[in-house]
Amino acid sequence: MTSHQDTFAHDRWPPRAQWPQMIYELPELQFPSHLNCARELLDTHVEQGRGERLCLVGEHSRWSYAELQRQVDAIAHVLTQELGVVPGNRVLLRGPNTPMLAACWYAVVKAGAIAVATMPLLRTKELTAVIDKAQISHALCDARLLDELHAVQSPYLKHTVAYLGDADDGLERRAARHTAPFAAVATEADDCCLIAFTSGTTGQPKGCMHSHRDVMAATRCWPRHVLRARADDVVIGSPPLAFTFGLGGLLLFPMSVGAAAVLLERAMPDVLPAYIAQYRVTTCYTSPTAYRAMAAQVGAHDLSSLRQCVSAGEALPAATRALWKEATGIELIDGIGATELLHIFISHDEAHARPGATGTPVPGYRARVVDEAGRELPRGQVGRLAVQGPTGCRYLDDARQQAYVQHGWNLTGDAYLVDDEGCFVYQARTDDMIISGGYNIAGPEVEAALLAHPAVAECGVVGVADAARGQIVKAFVVLKPGYAGDAELVAALQAHVKATIAPYKYPRAIAFCAALPRTETGKLQRFKLKDSA
Ligand code: 3UK
């Protein structure tokens, strides 16, 4: 059953047999059959008299729950009455973190449509892949990021409306014409409400489908049991809302308890401490790399309001935990999450922090370490991390579903061990995904970009260890005859990659070589490149 008029997503869930086992044992994970998470996370606060509480703070705005609801309802009217959005349509969202982007997200979901938030740095090529894969008909785009979207040529995308610009047909001017409340569409709990794209290991983006129930379930597990989110929290952080780490931490979780969030367009480590002081922030979300960078400069700011700091996206080095504690007195909360599982599923609270370990399964989830055949391994042995819970992997129309979900368990692609105390200790990615500064970067995608340069004959891209970023992207390049592998060419290749795909994916290191190590069948042997680096 679905409330969706456009059944695109409903028709493309993987077959049931390929789903992970979903677990709803906790009493707080029981939901009615009709559920709209936008209604739950926004409207209920206003209905229950919390409308005047502070909800979202931006660089140019400060909205209460009631004000956000007014914005959301007006945008939902624009979507449904002027742009023809019907339940089940996919709506692309593009912009840096702002209250307007958040309002657009809630408007799409409240209207029963499916939000496809995209990373602000994506370029035309990557946007096109997402739009075609999810057959996206509508886009709401920050006016400052229109160019790459306008260059997209897709048979699916019919309407693009800009916000935060000054065009006469911009979203705010259209929205101003709608003052009536918008009643949330009575979606089914199981209806898809968001598709989160993850680049995976190959660079072919995978769309992770999540339902209204999944969103609500995520708000009732980690934030409730580990973080213990409170109504007086003021949260801040760097991850984009297009990354489910950011969506949960900065939007869904604070709103699930009636708290406030500061949404920053640019939240790099150089500016974050000043914002924490300015807004009396209690809770911060960012990557291990950013905590490391911030530790050096927190002394200059009054961080006395800060109570909790969450680290995710990549493994937290023990040295970074120690550095942050020394600088602020705060014990970092580490948590491993995944786009496929929506948010964090193994973590620990401040009292149970163990340097070098991620923690234990979040209430609502189960985890174990298994061998290649899916058998549970004894403690101390390194194997593949397998997870089950109330959220899980359902890729949009993708054969890779059967790699991620095996025997009913989500296999995250991480190598872990369980220590004597039952604590999960991260080892490495089981595949070749490069994680640099908190971003996932697929080597083959960088290779594809490099290969389009006239000087490049062959290339292989791997991640190599780096103290500051965890890993950096390193490219091994075989040049075509007539080209010299000098500093000038390194700079040219780097500029070329930055102009082709999202700039953060560019190779920070480039080595020139005469040939690449290959198997007899012609496959690149990445481990040999890594070894030589
Ligand atoms: C790695 C970690 C060690 C790990 C994410 C929190 O990162 C998130 O989602 P992605 O889909 O990547 C998932 C992969 O990233 N990873 C994430 N956190 C940790 N490795 N320690 C950690 N604490 O390889 C995992 O499989 O980009 C994180 C919440 C939501 C998320 N989507």
Side-chain angles (χ1 to χ4, degrees):
M1 280 287 289
T2 179
S3 70
H4 285 176
Q5 200 170 316
D6 172 352
T7 59
F8 172 86
H10 183 255
D11 298 339
R12 281 167 183 78
W13 292 101
R16 275 282 167 171
Q18 296 177 16
W19 284 38
Q21 175 73 48
M22 308 293 278
I23 306 172
Y24 304 105
E25 279 164 6
L26 298 180
E28 60 266 43
L29 297 179
Q30 315 307 315
F31 297 101
S33 61
H34 283 90
L35 186 70
N36 186 313
C37 66
R39 208 197 102 73
E40 297 298 314
L41 296 172
L42 175 58
D43 297 352
T44 50
H45 293 295
V46 181
E47 282 164 19
Q48 294 170 9
R50 293 185 292 276
E52 295 318 309
R53 288 189 64 83
L54 182 62
C55 182
L56 298 177
V57 178
E59 280 151 57
H60 313 286
S61 45
R62 208 180 154 82
W63 291 347
S64 64
Y65 276 81
E67 180 58 25
L68 176 62
Q69 187 188 49
R70 278 190 286 277
Q71 301 280 350
V72 166
D73 286 5
I75 296 167
H77 281 304
V78 173
L79 289 171
T80 56
Q81 291 179 34
E82 298 185 20
L83 302 172
V85 168
V86 299
N89 282 169
R90 279 74 55 216
V91 181
L92 182 130
L93 303 174
R94 173 170 167 82
N97 289 355
T98 56
M100 266 307 279
L101 176 62
C104 291
W105 191 91
Y106 276 109
V108 169
V109 173
K110 198 169 175 182
I114 298 172
V116 186
T118 55
M119 299 289 267
L121 292 178
L122 294 193
R123 293 189 176 278
T124 302
K125 187 172 184 281
E126 296 143 316
L127 288 168
T128 307
V130 165
I131 288 165
D132 287 346
K133 181 78 195 181
Q135 300 190 11
I136 291 172
S137 52
H138 296 75
L140 300 177
C141 181
D142 190 305
R144 296 163 292 183
L145 295 182
L146 271 173
D147 289 353
E148 295 281 338
L149 187 58
H150 275 152
V152 168
Q153 297 199 344
S154 167
Y156 302 109
L157 186 60
K158 300 283 191 310
H159 303 276
T160 296
V161 176
Y163 62 86
L164 295 178
D166 44 26
D168 287 336
D169 58 352
L171 187 58
E172 291 89 338
R173 294 218 181 140
R174 288 168 178 260
R177 299 198 283 264
H178 301 273
T179 50
F182 180 91
V185 170
T187 44
E188 302 264 338
D190 291 324
D191 282 335
C192 181
C193 71
L194 72 94
I195 302 174
F197 276 87
T198 173
S199 60
T201 49
T202 61
Q204 270 305 325
K206 295 177 276 196
C208 301
M209 304 170 76
H210 293 292
S211 68
H212 293 270
R213 182 199 309 279
D214 300 334
V215 167
M216 293 314 298
T219 66
R220 306 250 167 119
C221 291
W222 180 82
R224 196 179 269 202
H225 293 276
V226 181
L227 185 74
R228 294 184 206 96
R230 307 192 327 210
D232 61 352
D233 288 345
V234 179
V235 313
I236 204 166
S238 65
L241 296 179
F243 182 20
T244 60
F245 179 36
L247 180 71
L250 302 178
L251 196 60
L252 308 176
F253 301 165
M255 287 183 62
S256 73
V257 294
V262 181
L263 296 175
L264 300 172
E265 295 174 16
R266 190 182 163 279
M268 294 297 131
D270 58 331
V271 295
L272 213 41
Y275 283 118
I276 292 170
Q278 181 183 345
Y279 294 111
R280 302 294 299 160
V281 165
T282 63
T283 313
C284 178
Y285 290 84
T286 190
S287 66
T289 313
Y291 284 114
R292 206 179 166 80
M294 284 197 297
Q297 30 151 328
V298 293
H301 303 275
D302 171 15
L303 302 190
S304 56
S305 59
L306 194 60
R307 272 193 303 116
Q308 294 183 296
C309 294
V310 182
S311 171
E314 58 183 348
L316 174 65
T320 302
R321 173 185 291 287
L323 208 58
W324 189 249
K325 184 152 191 190
E326 207 172 292
T328 64
I330 295 171
E331 192 73 75
L332 281 168
I333 299 174
D334 186 11
I336 179 171
T339 310
E340 286 84 352
L341 283 122
L342 199 46
H343 219 268
I344 293 173
F345 48 84
I346 295 175
S347 185
H348 59 76
D349 64 12
E350 295 90 334
H352 296 87
R354 286 256 319 276
T358 316
T360 51
V362 168
Y365 290 85
R366 299 177 190 146
R368 51 196 224 172
V369 172
V370 300
D371 66 11
E372 288 299 315
R375 286 175 302 234
E376 188 165 7
L377 287 168
R379 286 188 171 179
Q381 280 193 32
V382 176
R384 309 200 292 171
L385 180 65
V387 185
Q388 289 179 338
T391 59
C393 176
R394 280 86 32 105
Y395 288 135
L396 169 67
D397 191 16
D398 202 308
R400 290 168 290 185
Q401 177 72 20
Q402 288 169 85
Y404 203 95
V405 177
Q406 290 176 21
H407 314 291
W409 290 81
N410 297 279
L411 294 175
T412 63
D414 297 293
Y416 260 85
L417 64 76
V418 182
D419 73 10
D420 292 340
E421 282 142 63
C423 214
F424 284 71
V425 184
Y426 179 82
Q427 308 294 307
R429 287 290 301 173
T430 41
D431 58 18
D432 282 315
M433 174 55 95
I434 303 164
I435 303 177
S436 181
Y439 287 110
N440 282 10
I441 300 167
E445 192 184 3
V446 183
E447 288 163 20
L450 278 169
L451 285 170
H453 189 278
V456 177
E458 280 188 88
C459 64
V461 170
V462 295
V464 301
D466 177 73
R469 291 170 184 275
Q471 282 188 307
I472 58 164
V473 176
K474 176 161 187 175
F476 292 81
V477 175
V478 180
L479 290 174
K480 288 182 183 166
Y483 286 92
D486 51 21
E488 201 180 307
L489 186 56
V490 168
L493 291 174
Q494 289 172 329
H496 166 79
V497 173
K498 286 185 191 175
T500 310
I501 54 179
Y504 65 81
K505 298 173 183 172
Y506 87 96
R508 285 172 192 270
I510 296 182
F512 297 101
C513 47
L516 295 175
R518 291 186 183 277
T519 64
E520 276 177 344
T521 57
K523 278 198 173 65
L524 186 63
Q525 292 169 302
R526 294 171 185 283
F527 66 93
K528 288 193 179 165
L529 290 180
K530 284 190 186 179
D531 287 350
S532 77

